[in-house]
Amino acid sequence: MVYTDIATRTYNHGWRLDPIVRSLLDTDFYKLLMLQLIWRLHRDTQATFALINRTRSVRLAEVIDEGELRAQLDHARTLRLGKKELIWLAGNSFYGNARMFDPEFLAWLKDFRLPEYELRVVDGQFELHFAGPWTHTTMWEIPALSIINELRARAAMAGKDRFALDILYARAKAKMWDKVERLRHLPDLVLSDFGTRRRHGFLWQRWCVEAVKEGLGDRFIGTSNVLLAMDSDLEAIGTNAHELPMVAAALAENDGALATAPYRVLDEWRQAYDGNLLIALPDAFGTTAFLRNAPEWVADWTGFRPDSAPPIAGGEQILDWWRERGRDPRRKLLIFSDGMDVDSIEATYRYFHGRVRTSFGWGTNLTNDFRDCDPDGGAGLAPISLVCKVVSANGRPAVKLSDNPAKATGEPKEIERYLRVFGEADRGVQPVRV
């Protein structure tokens, strides 16, 4: 691996366009897995995604130049998968499966390009929408978030001299390495990089991945970033996300169909994938509601990814559910990935160690923790909570309730309807920082 002097690279940045996204593989692996399922079963579904800035105090349109944002989005639309990338997808083994992607799907993917977007500025914020076939709009989520986060970082560093940038990155590297040294004390740790969406920048994510790989050895099992997995000879990590049950629910014809929507889409998933890809994400409409009505076959899946509940409480709830159904939690897997950092990784690891298999997806706090690193004392590099969510399917509004109401998305009337169907049990507001 040839290491880039990121400080010098940042200081010398003066090109007309320095592309942030340079490959369609610069995305999360779960996007490709979900895309193949969508391509197989839901090609006629239309879906609209929208940017949502939960950190409303940061007025993105007053920080990022609209012209620069359009230039980066337009560049991303020019990208196509290259021969090397397609050969790697076709020939590589993922989760022990040597033929993860159908040849017909890869042939379709060869001509794939990101669809058009709609961008405007309202009250200091960007309103960014991606409307069209679900097979295409789904792929905007990760590059759009990566572009906006890196443009914000570039704006915060603009005008800093070479020395200040050197100090900035030296502090960030030391801070990250201190975290790695703490994690070394967890002998059975299983950890992967989940930091693409809200990273400081691509080069920084690559440095972080290489550093964790060096520091943790085989306890670092891979990265969700497909391009970094290919270039760094790492496992590509990822399963599924909230958009699958959100779209299935939006398309439900009545409240009865709405209540069973999360399980219908999981049934589609288990027919497409197996083994360690059988990970359920239970919190789209509340974990308690999901577990209360889940079919028996869900208990035979490999594990769960509790996402928006507090990790220990959410994990304990799932362990109790397994035991009630006669399953041994020690044979199951819990994946924790919501805003995890060293303190929460250590606490969660120690609490569940020996009781269930655990794995940790380390995201924003790995690839974008520059808090207190700026020698000028600025706060412009602190991470924000920025997401890109599906907001409608075939013209019908989409909803996410979450275990944390602060993360709920959707029209208020539809949220009320979903709460009537799924209930509000065990939902509680928690601070959303990343």
Side-chain angles (χ1 to χ4, degrees):
M1 172 61 67
V2 177
Y3 291 100
T4 301
D5 182 344
I6 303 177
T8 298
R9 178 70 163 70
T10 302
Y11 181 70
N12 289 339
H13 170 259
W15 301 276
R16 184 187 64 81
L17 178 69
D18 184 6
I20 290 172
V21 177
R22 297 169 181 254
S23 167
L24 289 175
L25 290 190
D26 186 10
T27 192
D28 281 339
F29 188 54
Y30 73 77
K31 277 294 176 181
L32 293 180
L33 293 175
M34 291 193 300
L35 178 60
Q36 181 168 242
L37 180 71
I38 296 165
W39 173 83
R40 285 174 178 169
L41 302 176
H42 303 286
R43 295 187 206 185
D44 296 332
T45 300
Q46 302 289 304
T48 299
F49 286 72
L51 181 75
I52 301 171
N53 180 12
R54 296 175 180 144
T55 312
R56 300 296 294 177
S57 60
V58 176
R59 298 165 67 87
L60 286 171
E62 296 176 4
V63 176
I64 297 170
D65 179 79
E66 181 182 347
E68 290 185 9
L69 175 56
R70 289 186 181 276
Q72 293 289 347
L73 295 171
D74 290 342
H75 172 76
R77 294 197 64 232
T78 69
L79 298 175
R80 304 289 188 280
L81 288 173
K83 182 180 292 187
K84 171 189 171 183
E85 295 169 325
L86 289 165
I87 290 173
W88 183 79
L89 288 173
N92 198 52
S93 175
F94 302 99
Y95 286 87
N97 189 336
R99 293 288 298 273
M100 183 70 76
F101 297 107
D102 294 339
E104 296 83 359
F105 170 68
L106 294 176
W108 174 84
L109 201 59
K110 179 174 68 70
D111 297 320
F112 179 89
R113 64 176 293 184
L114 292 168
E116 295 181 357
Y117 60 89
E118 298 177 9
L119 174 66
R120 63 177 184 152
V121 175
V122 178
D123 191 25
Q125 300 288 354
F126 290 119
E127 287 196 354
L128 181 58
H129 289 84
F130 309 101
W134 190 16
T135 49
H136 288 68
T137 55
T138 183
M139 293 299 288
W140 257 124
E141 176 188 359
I142 307 302
L145 292 173
S146 300
I147 286 169
I148 292 173
N149 277 287
E150 186 161 348
L151 283 177
R152 178 172 174 262
R154 289 182 183 183
M157 295 185 295
K160 292 186 183 296
D161 61 31
R162 175 65 178 79
F163 185 79
L165 289 168
D166 200 33
I167 296 300
L168 170 73
Y169 282 107
R171 288 177 176 176
K173 288 179 178 180
K175 184 178 185 180
M176 205 280 284
W177 191 251
D178 285 344
K179 296 180 182 183
V180 172
E181 289 185 324
R182 285 176 59 181
L183 294 175
R184 282 176 166 174
H185 296 290
L186 308 179
D188 299 320
L189 178 69
V190 176
L191 183 140
S192 54
D193 158 47
F194 276 20
T196 299
R197 296 186 304 157
R198 291 192 285 268
R199 67 192 182 198
H200 170 80
F202 175 77
L203 293 178
W204 180 249
Q205 183 184 14
R206 188 175 71 182
W207 186 90
C208 290
V209 166
E210 289 296 327
V212 179
K213 180 181 178 183
E214 176 70 21
L216 295 182
D218 59 8
R219 283 174 285 182
F220 180 62
I221 62 170
T223 173
S224 65
N225 187 290
V226 186
L227 181 62
L228 289 176
M230 182 179 73
D231 290 345
S232 302
D233 194 25
L234 289 166
E235 290 290 332
I237 304 295
T239 54
N240 55 72
H242 294 108
E243 71 179 87
L244 293 182
M246 288 175 68
V247 170
L251 298 178
E253 295 292 341
N254 51 55
D255 286 356
L258 172 59
T260 60
Y263 315 116
R264 291 200 306 274
V265 78
L266 287 186
D267 190 37
E268 293 176 351
W269 186 266
R270 69 172 177 159
Q271 293 181 46
Y273 302 113
D274 57 16
N276 283 338
L277 288 177
L278 295 182
I279 303 294
L281 181 62
D283 71 315
F285 312 120
T287 297
T288 297
F290 179 92
L291 295 177
R292 182 177 61 241
N293 298 312
E296 187 70 14
W297 50 261
V298 176
D300 293 321
W301 277 33
T302 301
F304 280 80
R305 179 163 70 93
D307 187 59
S308 56
I312 289 176
E316 192 66 60
Q317 182 181 17
I318 293 168
L319 262 65
D320 288 343
W321 184 82
W322 276 324
R323 292 191 197 98
E324 290 169 0
R325 281 149 187 80
R327 272 61 167 190
D328 183 355
R330 292 172 299 178
R331 298 179 179 273
K332 298 296 185 177
L333 174 66
L334 291 179
I335 301 174
F336 298 95
S337 61
D338 183 34
M340 303 301 290
D341 205 3
V342 175
D343 289 343
S344 58
I345 292 174
E346 286 179 335
T348 307
Y349 169 93
R350 291 190 171 114
Y351 183 86
F352 288 110
H353 189 236
R355 303 174 62 211
V356 64
R357 293 186 295 136
T358 58
S359 179
F360 295 89
W362 198 7
T364 307
N365 289 315
L366 168 64
T367 62
N368 199 3
D369 187 4
F370 282 72
R371 302 174 185 92
D372 303 320
C373 293
D374 188 345
D376 299 321
L381 289 171
I384 62 175
S385 185
L386 191 69
V387 296
C388 184
K389 292 293 184 183
V390 61
V391 293
S392 71
N394 286 353
R396 299 179 178 181
V399 169
K400 177 188 173 188
L401 293 180
S402 177
D403 288 323
N404 182 356
K407 289 188 171 185
T409 63
E411 298 176 1
K413 287 185 177 180
E414 280 299 294
I415 290 177
E416 290 179 8
R417 175 186 168 225
Y418 277 58
L419 288 173
R420 288 197 303 271
V421 171
F422 294 103
E424 293 193 65
D426 300 316
R427 297 176 76 236
V429 175
Q430 301 290 326
V432 180
R433 297 185 178 88
V434 294

